[in-house]
Amino acid sequence: MLPLKKKSFLHRKKLAGRIAQIFNKNSDVISATTSRSTEISEQSETDGSELCDEKAEDQSSSGSFEELMKEMESRYVESEVPKNLPGGVLVDQSHVIATPDLNSLLFSPDSSFAKSLSDFLGNSEQQFGPWKFENGSLKRETTCVKAPSKLVGAVKAIEDQIYVKVDGKTFAIFVSVSTPDVMYGSTFKVELLYCITPGPDLPSGEKTSNLAISWRMNFLQSTMFKSMIENGARAGLKDSFELFSTFLSQNVKPVDLKDMGSSKEQVLASLKAEPQSDRKLAVQYFANFTVISVFFMVLYALVHIWLAEPSAIQGLEFLGLDLPDSIGEVLVCSVLALQCERVLGLLSRFMQARAQKGTDHGVKAQGDGWLLTAALIEGSHLPTVDSSGFCDPYVVFTCNGKTKTSSIKFQKSDPLWNEIFEFDAMDDPPSVLDVDVYDFDGPFDEAMSLGHTEINFVKSNLSDLADVWVPLQGKLAQACQSKLHLRIFLNNTRGSNVVKEYLSKMEKEVGKKINVRSPQTNSAFQKVFGLPPEEFLINDFTCHLKRKMPLQGRLFLSARIIGFYANLFGQKTKFFFLWEDIEDIQIYTPTLSSMGSPVVVITLRQGRGMDARHGAKNIDDEGRLKFHFQSFVSFNVAHRTIMALWKARSLSLEQKVQIVEEDSETKILQTEESGSFLGLEDVSMSEVYASSLSVPTNFIMEVFSGGELDRKVMEKAGCLSYSYSSWELVKTDVYERQIYYRFDKRISRFGGEVTSTQQKYPLSDRKGWLIEEVMTLHGVPLGDYFNLHLRYQVEDFPSRLKGCHVRVSIGVAWLKSTRHQKRISKNILSNLQDRLKLIFSLAEKEFENR
């Protein structure tokens, strides 16, 4: 039995090798290029039965190829471009050539490209049949003898080509290839689909086209060697069309992404922000039915008053008080008053909307590295959330922890921005750009989100992002089909040294030399996971993916992703997710089930990495995916590399806190002789909180001491990542410290951060303390327009009773002029007043619990 099994195995292996040789263009064949969708193959298998229903008579065409294309275009019925076939995409590239010219180059009988390609591959007896109409479709047949290989001799291949879409700009050609002379050749056909569509726009104005070729196997009969035939064909076609792409690029110039990037300055220079015209704003606010109706109602009432005679005093009226004399007059007055109130509201919004400018538009990027530029062009069908039907949208861009905020467009559902935002240079290539659209109503109000979207640089082609409409996600946005028009550019100013610099930085974290991978290895890595050309491989490790059963494969690590790939008997398993998607990495001790190897357990954030769900071992109760990797050849190196790359992408917040703490050790503010600092005496202060607490002064001062009570109270009050420096003596009896924290979403919908400087000194009678604070907000709309000044006064009760008086005053120091000062000040004071009540009530509860 063993010899028989061995012969059977060798027979199958030889068969798979022959199939690969048949479809390999390098030494054997040019296989047919693509296939059509499921509907196309059904039409092919039924020999055009649906077309026969048209009862069109067969006719040979004696006209030129251009005339045939015009004839096909005249018969064209509006339809979508056929989808790529399920076997996969073999070619997807753009060239500097118009789509009709590329179509003629590949399929015109007068073109020398096909003959040259056949000679290049060593094929012989190439014959091209004439294009002719059959059953209303344009078809032709070509034959050739493929060059012999080591395993297979010369093989005859027959291609049936048929046009399935011709509209003057888009061309789709379905090709069915048969090789009856090969082993089991009568049981299958290879089907391919050529799709020629318009390509990206170039700054030079030259026409471009995109060629996509996809394929699939069509088995005419059932065979036990189906999987082997398909795997062999896949390998041969892949190699074959790589040569096809190379030969085509030698004859037609491909589109260079660098040329696309060079158009950045030209594109951005053409953008001009919408002028803030008072006349246009007035038309937007007052050209509506409400204003017009109120105008005529008031005019009508005034004319009536002028024409009517004064009525006699009656009922409860007296001189100077004229009451309505009927229910009708009450209703008319009520309607008129309500309408006038709405008009006054419109007038107030109009005054606020004048000359509003964004906070980050036009701010130039600083530094050297990865530069991200986002141009916000316009919005479409943005939803309204206010009961009055108004929408005041603005957009917040977030990338690598940095935010950029657009201007606020008042009274618009289809706003035009034309604003440019440049992010400072980043050492690491960005993975995701988050785009959120909000309705403005003060920096601390619970702003309603109008929609959001995410630009994933790992899954997107940079050339496609140069001019793109992105749909917004969210219930309101999806209901209104809201979209944003963006132009996004990402380029690296460090050139080819970026890879070496990044690897040298990782070597310090890992403690081991990391070699630069060859261009061939990087290219293969990008093809496996479908990554953009700027993604580079850092390291890869052999390991097992633990699901129900361990699956051996390789774990690939790059600057932005972690991916797994395995190929077991032709069954491929691959997935990847971003480093930013990881919430936690843990190490489980070796067990019998892990074959004595430590297990790296990666937990993703809730709702993230769902594309890689098939590779997860389980999903926890919070909906987070968990991935288990084990059996590393060198566990320590793999673990250190994974942790170093993860920390490099996820610990920006802690690094920011550390910088604040380090700066606090050297930064000393200049103080006045009176003890006040940073110009508090020039800010108009108003008392917003005053209370008598049954808590000793010493205990209240612990809230400002930097101890456990300080952190506990502030975190409960919504201050996340609360960090502070120690109090330092800067002058006699004057102490100073710095604070950093982030706002909880309950306090500010935008998150935002706070850097604050506090000074404290005892009162003149030594029976209390005075704390003065200057607070700077970051990451909130108009946050750079003002600073907040606070003064806390804590003093003992004059009697022997235990307790203290607390008074807090707040002022807003405006750094830039804006017409929304009153609105913003009111919003800030109201929010901080509630927050102060919460802080001191928490302090009282902590004192009672002691």
Side-chain angles (χ1 to χ4, degrees), residues 60-336:
S60 297
S61 176
S62 59
S64 66
F65 185 73
E66 289 74 15
E67 293 174 350
L68 294 176
M69 290 298 101
K70 292 180 180 179
E71 177 68 18
M72 281 292 296
E73 187 175 351
S74 66
R75 299 184 181 188
Y76 171 69
V77 179
E78 186 68 27
S79 63
E80 296 182 355
V81 179
K83 296 181 180 179
N84 291 329
L85 298 180
V89 177
L90 300 169
V91 176
D92 186 5
Q93 59 187 27
S94 299
H95 295 270
V96 184
I97 185 175
T99 53
D101 296 336
L102 181 59
N103 175 61
S104 299
L105 178 71
L106 297 179
F107 298 103
S108 174
D110 300 328
S111 173
S112 61
F113 177 81
K115 297 178 181 178
S116 301
L117 178 62
S118 179
D119 297 338
F120 174 74
L121 297 168
N123 299 331
S124 61
E125 301 181 19
Q126 184 80 47
Q127 296 182 0
F128 299 93
W131 287 104
K132 58 183 180 179
F133 284 98
E134 292 184 3
N135 300 326
S137 298
L138 187 62
K139 302 179 179 179
R140 80 168 177 179
E141 180 180 282
T142 68
T143 61
C144 70
V145 176
K146 305 297 182 181
S149 64
K150 295 180 180 179
L151 296 179
V152 181
V155 176
K156 182 179 181 180
I158 303 173
E159 293 186 6
D160 293 322
Q161 302 175 352
I162 176 174
Y163 275 91
V164 295
K165 180 180 176 66
V166 177
D167 64 0
K169 295 182 179 180
T170 302
F171 302 85
I173 303 92
F174 178 73
V175 180
S176 179
V177 185
S178 59
T179 51
D181 296 340
V182 303
M183 187 179 300
Y184 301 102
S186 60
T187 64
F188 67 90
K189 288 185 178 181
V190 177
E191 296 177 348
L192 307 108
L193 181 67
Y194 290 72
C195 284
I196 303 174
T197 56
D201 295 331
L202 294 179
S204 61
E206 295 179 285
K207 298 292 184 180
T208 64
S209 58
N210 180 264
L211 173 63
I213 305 175
S214 56
W215 79 286
R216 74 171 174 195
M217 294 291 293
N218 181 14
F219 286 93
L220 308 177
Q221 301 177 16
S222 177
T223 172
M224 61 182 298
F225 300 106
K226 179 178 178 179
S227 61
M228 292 186 179
I229 294 174
E230 188 169 5
N231 292 335
R234 180 183 293 108
L237 287 171
K238 181 180 178 180
D239 297 336
S240 154
F241 279 96
E242 285 182 358
L243 293 176
F244 172 85
S245 298
T246 302
F247 188 78
L248 179 61
S249 298
Q250 293 174 357
N251 290 267
V252 183
K253 179 184 177 181
V255 174
D256 192 352
L257 291 178
K258 295 181 179 179
D259 295 337
M260 296 295 297
S262 64
S263 66
K264 169 185 172 181
E265 288 74 16
Q266 299 177 4
V267 171
L268 298 181
S270 64
L271 297 180
K272 294 183 179 179
E274 182 184 19
Q276 297 290 338
S277 171
D278 290 347
R279 180 178 297 178
K280 290 183 178 180
L281 282 176
V283 171
Q284 290 176 349
Y285 276 86
F286 302 123
N288 54 63
F289 175 77
T290 299
V291 176
I292 296 174
S293 63
V294 169
F295 173 78
F296 281 106
M297 289 174 65
V298 172
L299 180 63
Y300 187 86
L302 292 175
V303 173
H304 168 73
I305 293 172
W306 180 57
L307 296 176
E309 295 181 359
S311 60
I313 297 177
Q314 56 184 339
L316 299 177
E317 297 177 344
F318 55 85
L319 187 62
L321 178 63
D322 188 8
L323 298 176
D325 299 330
S326 65
I327 298 299
E329 290 184 5
V330 173
L331 293 177
V332 171
C333 292
S334 299
V335 171
L336 186 60

Side-chain angles (χ1 to χ4, degrees), residues 541-803:
F541 303 93
T542 300
C543 66
H544 284 81
L545 173 67
K546 182 65 180 298
R547 294 179 294 185
K548 292 182 179 179
M549 295 292 293
L551 175 64
Q552 183 175 354
R554 296 192 72 82
L555 191 66
F556 294 87
L557 310 178
S558 74
R560 294 186 287 187
I561 73 158
I562 174 172
F564 179 83
Y565 177 80
N567 188 347
L568 184 63
F569 303 116
Q571 184 66 34
K572 294 182 180 179
T573 301
K574 62 179 179 180
F575 60 85
F576 71 87
F577 45 82
L578 302 177
W579 290 109
E580 289 89 339
D581 293 341
I582 299 176
E583 182 174 298
D584 189 24
I585 299 178
Q586 297 178 331
I587 305 300
Y588 287 1
T589 56
T591 61
L592 184 61
S593 61
S594 66
M595 296 177 287
S597 168
V599 182
V600 177
V601 180
I602 298 178
T603 305
L604 301 189
R605 302 182 189 276
Q606 185 178 7
R608 306 297 296 179
M610 300 309 293
D611 293 343
R613 183 173 182 174
H614 60 280
K617 189 177 188 299
N618 63 322
I619 303 178
D620 63 11
D621 297 336
E622 300 179 11
R624 301 177 301 178
L625 298 177
K626 288 182 174 291
F627 297 82
H628 290 218
F629 301 98
Q630 64 187 41
S631 302
F632 290 91
V633 176
S634 178
F635 175 79
N636 291 333
V637 175
H639 176 239
R640 289 200 303 268
T641 305
I642 292 173
M643 295 302 295
L645 290 171
W646 178 48
K647 289 180 180 180
R649 304 292 299 192
S650 63
L651 299 184
S652 57
L653 177 60
E654 288 78 0
Q655 293 172 358
K656 189 179 295 184
V657 174
Q658 182 180 0
I659 292 173
V660 172
E661 293 176 344
E662 291 175 353
D663 290 345
S664 67
E665 296 176 1
T666 57
K667 183 177 180 181
I668 299 178
L669 300 176
Q670 299 296 325
T671 62
E672 302 290 342
E673 292 297 325
S674 62
S676 64
F677 73 113
L678 295 181
L680 283 179
E681 66 280 359
D682 298 328
V683 179
S684 177
M685 308 288 286
S686 59
E687 187 172 278
V688 295
Y689 179 84
S691 178
S692 297
L693 306 178
S694 58
V695 179
T697 299
N698 293 337
F699 186 85
I700 288 295
M701 290 305 298
E702 288 188 30
V703 177
F704 303 94
S705 65
E708 181 181 356
L709 180 63
D710 186 359
R711 181 183 298 277
K712 190 174 183 179
V713 169
M714 296 303 288
E715 288 181 349
K716 286 185 178 180
C719 301
L720 306 179
S721 303
Y722 186 69
S723 175
Y724 48 82
S725 63
S726 58
W727 287 102
E728 295 182 2
L729 183 66
V730 295
K731 198 178 179 182
T732 305
D733 290 337
V734 178
Y735 300 85
E736 184 180 301
R737 72 167 182 171
Q738 277 74 39
I739 298 174
Y740 169 87
Y741 57 87
R742 292 186 297 116
F743 284 128
D744 186 90
K745 293 294 184 181
R746 295 180 289 106
I747 298 178
S748 174
R749 178 62 180 82
F750 323 106
E753 303 169 357
V754 171
T755 54
S756 178
T757 301
Q758 292 181 342
Q759 280 190 355
K760 69 175 182 178
Y761 48 91
L763 297 176
S764 57
D765 57 1
R766 299 286 176 172
K767 293 183 179 180
W769 289 87
L770 191 68
I771 300 100
E772 294 180 337
E773 180 177 8
V774 176
M775 184 184 299
T776 303
L777 307 182
H778 310 276
V780 298
L782 307 180
D784 59 341
Y785 275 55
F786 58 88
N787 285 331
L788 299 182
H789 295 238
L790 296 91
R791 179 183 289 120
Y792 305 83
Q793 184 171 336
V794 184
E795 55 184 341
D796 294 326
F797 282 156
S799 63
R800 296 183 179 180
L801 297 176
K802 291 185 178 180

